[in-house]
Every structure is written in structure tokens, then in C-alpha cells.
Amino acid sequence: RDGLLHDITQVIGDMGIALTGTTGRVSNASSQAIISVDVSLSSWQQSVEFVSYLSLIEGVTEIRKEAI
């Protein structure tokens, strides 16, 4: 949906999280946006809070966490 990336980056900014990278594409087969954000989180607790806020955004249907 229009504005989805903005809503995600708004959460990142509001939480004071460092955004280190982002990619996005639209899947033609499903008409879904696939957005990847790379962030630097300071703690496990911040990670849980971040995922919780993301899950409240309209249009977010799945969240995957990958550790480096």
C-alpha cells in the first residue's frame, strides 16, 4: 500500500534506531511489497519492542528477524 515504507521508517525514527540499509520490491505474483530494513538494535528488549510496533502497522503481514 502507498505509504507503507514511510510508516516503517517512521517507527524506526521514533524509536531512535539506526537505519543502516533498506531494499524493497513488489512481488508480481502476489502484488505484495517485500521490504527489508537493516537496523542496529541496542538490546534484545529493543528488538522485541521494534517487532511489536512493526506488527501494528497496517499492511505488515510478516516480520522476519535475521541476526548477523
Side-chain angles (χ1 to χ4, degrees):
R1 70 170 173 81
D2 288 341
L4 181 58
L5 180 58
H6 173 267
D7 292 348
I8 292 169
T9 56
Q10 186 71 44
V11 168
I12 293 168
D14 289 349
M15 291 185 66
I17 295 172
L19 177 64
T20 58
T22 185
T23 59
R25 65 182 171 87
V26 176
S27 170
N28 291 333
S30 64
S31 298
Q32 290 184 333
I34 300 168
I35 300 170
S36 299
V37 293
D38 299 325
V39 294
S40 180
L41 300 169
S42 61
S43 67
W44 176 86
Q45 184 177 21
Q46 187 181 43
S47 173
V48 170
E49 186 175 306
F50 180 52
V51 169
S52 295
Y53 283 128
L54 289 179
S55 68
L56 296 175
I57 296 173
E58 178 187 349
V60 172
T61 59
E62 183 177 345
I63 301 167
R64 294 183 190 177
K65 299 185 292 182
E66 295 182 18
I68 300 177

